[in-house]
């Protein structure tokens, strides 16, 4: 299922502007980058998030009481230790959650197993070339958007779906993923230097598209490589569900813990993992869990609003 979802995410390859007009799928590009979206969301919040506050523990105030409140500990901010909260929603990546002491939340076996297994290492490489050669100079197949998949080390190549109407001889960029989805030591996920990394990319592109490695090297204007497992705020790329994980692990990260007071949010706790849409879906589910736990009279209205917003297409978020 994971492989199918990944394929569908990138497989739409319109060959012209006319194709995009005729199809239902529309591509949108945010001027200024994705942060424009999150910054705009931040502006409308009444209660602003606190930055540079590293949570070190989350626990129940009274584990024996089903109506218990929650407490947290924040490094270098002891003033938060005496505060109590009705609920805690975790939106951080699962590997980062493992660095927080959650022993007082009574996660079950499958929830702890999901924290260990679902997040994967990944190296992402963006390369800008002098031309959009994949649209006109591939010896195998011309590529207009979409992606290529291979069992070679680069694994997946994603081609830009914007600018298809531009002159293919103009500069263009593409992104390729390396070793995404592998359950392996992150230290093995990337070569020892970027020089070796690029050599490997050029070799794999030669196998995929037919030119020599030196040809792709000569076409390169700039590149940027990033190993997501080295980022302390992600400690990995995204949740990748392997065979059997949907039936065994997915239900565990879409179920609350600590008597219904601790909630898992983020893309890993959604059907659209690795996508912003998945994070938003998980937010709806967490609100639903809280309203149910509190026996709130607002729950029925919430469900009606959710169905109206989603057109009923994701009602299974809380019906596994």
């Amino acid at each position: 299922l994971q492989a199918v979802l990944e394929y569908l995410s990138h497989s739409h390859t319109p060959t012209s502007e006319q194709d995009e007009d005729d199809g239902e799928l529309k591509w949108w590009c945010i001027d200024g980058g994705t942060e424009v979206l999150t910054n705009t969301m931040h502006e409308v919040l009444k209660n602003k998030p606190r930055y540079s506050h590293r949570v070190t523990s989350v626990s129940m105030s009274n584990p024996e009481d089903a109506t218990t409140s929650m407490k947290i500990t924040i490094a270098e901010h002891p003033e938060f230790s005496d505060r109590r909260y009705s609920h805690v929603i975790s939106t951080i990546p699962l590997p980062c959650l493992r660095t927080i002491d959650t022993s007082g939340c009574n996660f079950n076996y499958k929830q702890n197993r999901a924290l260990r297994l679902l997040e994967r290492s990944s190296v992402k490489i963006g390369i800008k070339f002098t031309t959009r050669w994949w649209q006109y100079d591939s010896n195998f197949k011309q590529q207009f958007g979409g992606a290529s998949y291979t069992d070679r080390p680069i694994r997946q190549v994603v081609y830009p779906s914007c600018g298809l109407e531009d002159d293919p001889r103009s500069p263009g960029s593409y992104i390729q993923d390396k070793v995404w989805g592998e359950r392996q030591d992150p230290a093995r996920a990337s070569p020892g230097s970027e020089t070796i990394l690029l050599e490997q990319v050029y070799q794999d592109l030669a196998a995929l598209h037919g030119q020599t490695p030196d040809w792709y090297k000569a076409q390169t204007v700039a590149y940027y490589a990033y190993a997501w497992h080295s980022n302390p705020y992600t400690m990995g790329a995204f949740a990748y569900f392997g065979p059997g994980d949907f039936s065994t692990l997915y239900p565990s990260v879409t179920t609350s813990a600590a008597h219904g007071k601790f909630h898992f949010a983020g893309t890993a706790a959604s059907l659209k993992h690795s996508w912003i849409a998945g994070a938003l879906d998980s937010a709806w589910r967490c609100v639903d869990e809280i309203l149910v736990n509190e026996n709130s009279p607002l729950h029925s209205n919430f469900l009606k609003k959710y169905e109206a917003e989603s057109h009923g297409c994701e009602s299974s978020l809380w019906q596994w």
Side-chain angles (χ1 to χ4, degrees):
L1 181 55
Q2 173 72 53
V4 173
L5 291 175
E6 282 294 328
Y7 175 77
L8 292 176
S9 298
H10 298 293
S11 62
H12 182 69
T13 57
T15 56
S16 69
E17 186 175 351
Q18 181 65 34
D19 288 342
E20 291 195 55
D21 291 337
D22 292 341
E24 296 182 359
L25 182 61
K26 299 293 183 182
W27 292 95
W28 299 89
C29 181
I30 301 177
D31 187 12
T34 307
E35 69 173 359
V36 174
L37 175 62
T38 54
N39 289 342
T40 304
M41 295 172 66
H42 179 268
E43 290 175 1
V44 301
L45 291 176
K46 294 181 179 179
N47 297 319
K48 304 297 184 182
R50 298 176 184 270
Y51 295 101
S52 302
H53 283 59
R54 183 171 61 87
V55 176
T56 57
S57 70
V58 181
S59 62
M60 293 179 282
S61 301
N62 185 359
E64 304 301 323
D65 185 1
T67 63
T68 182
S69 59
M70 302 294 291
K71 58 182 180 179
I72 65 175
T73 302
I74 298 179
E76 301 179 1
H77 290 277
E79 66 273 16
F80 286 92
S81 299
D82 295 330
R83 299 186 183 184
R84 296 296 179 266
Y85 305 88
S86 299
H87 294 264
V88 170
I89 302 176
S90 173
T91 63
I92 64 176
L94 299 183
C96 297
L97 182 57
R98 291 189 66 199
T99 68
I100 297 175
D101 181 6
T102 56
S103 58
C105 294
N106 290 347
F107 290 171
N108 61 39
Y109 170 76
K110 288 185 177 180
Q111 287 171 333
N112 283 315
R113 189 167 182 265
L115 299 190
R116 295 195 303 270
L117 297 180
L118 286 183
E119 206 79 12
R120 309 298 172 83
S121 60
S122 176
V123 176
K124 301 231 176 200
I125 308 164
I127 303 179
K128 183 177 182 179
F129 293 98
T130 56
T131 64
R132 302 166 69 93
W133 51 261
W134 51 89
Q135 292 181 202
Y136 75 92
D137 205 13
S138 174
N139 289 344
F140 293 98
K141 179 183 177 182
Q142 293 179 344
Q143 193 79 31
F144 298 87
S148 294
Y149 299 85
T150 175
D151 57 359
R152 297 181 68 88
I154 62 173
R155 302 301 302 275
Q156 181 186 44
V157 178
V158 180
Y159 309 90
S161 296
C162 58
L164 296 179
E165 67 281 0
D166 296 344
D167 183 355
R169 302 285 174 172
S170 62
S173 302
Y174 87 150
I175 298 173
Q176 72 94 12
D177 295 346
K178 183 179 184 299
V179 298
W180 61 276
E182 296 288 343
R183 278 182 178 158
Q184 60 178 338
D185 183 352
R188 298 177 57 195
S190 57
S193 71
E194 292 187 355
T195 299
I196 298 175
L197 179 63
L198 282 175
E199 288 178 356
Q200 188 175 79
V201 170
Y202 296 142
Q203 290 172 3
D204 291 354
L205 286 179
L208 287 173
H209 290 283
Q211 299 287 359
T212 66
D214 287 340
W215 188 90
Y216 297 103
K217 183 177 181 179
Q219 283 270 320
T220 300
V221 176
Y223 74 93
Y224 185 78
Y226 195 82
W228 279 101
H229 50 263
S230 65
N231 186 317
Y233 301 110
T234 62
M235 299 178 68
F238 48 81
Y240 187 90
F241 288 75
D245 287 347
F246 265 112
S247 61
T248 58
L249 300 182
Y250 176 76
S252 66
V253 293
T254 55
T255 302
S256 58
H259 297 304
K261 306 294 184 177
F262 185 98
H263 310 270
F264 299 93
T267 66
S270 77
L271 295 176
K272 304 184 185 76
H273 38 270
S274 81
W275 296 96
I276 295 175
L280 296 175
D281 282 343
S282 74
W284 283 95
R285 176 184 48 76
C286 287
V287 173
D288 178 80
E289 291 174 351
I290 292 173
L291 293 177
V292 170
N293 183 268
E294 298 293 332
N295 196 25
S296 172
L298 300 175
H299 185 234
S300 59
N301 289 334
F302 168 79
L303 289 180
K304 292 178 182 178
K305 182 176 181 181
Y306 177 81
E307 291 295 333
E309 292 286 343
S310 65
H311 306 289
C313 63
E314 284 289 350
S315 59
S316 61
L317 282 172
W318 45 74
Q319 296 175 2
W320 181 263

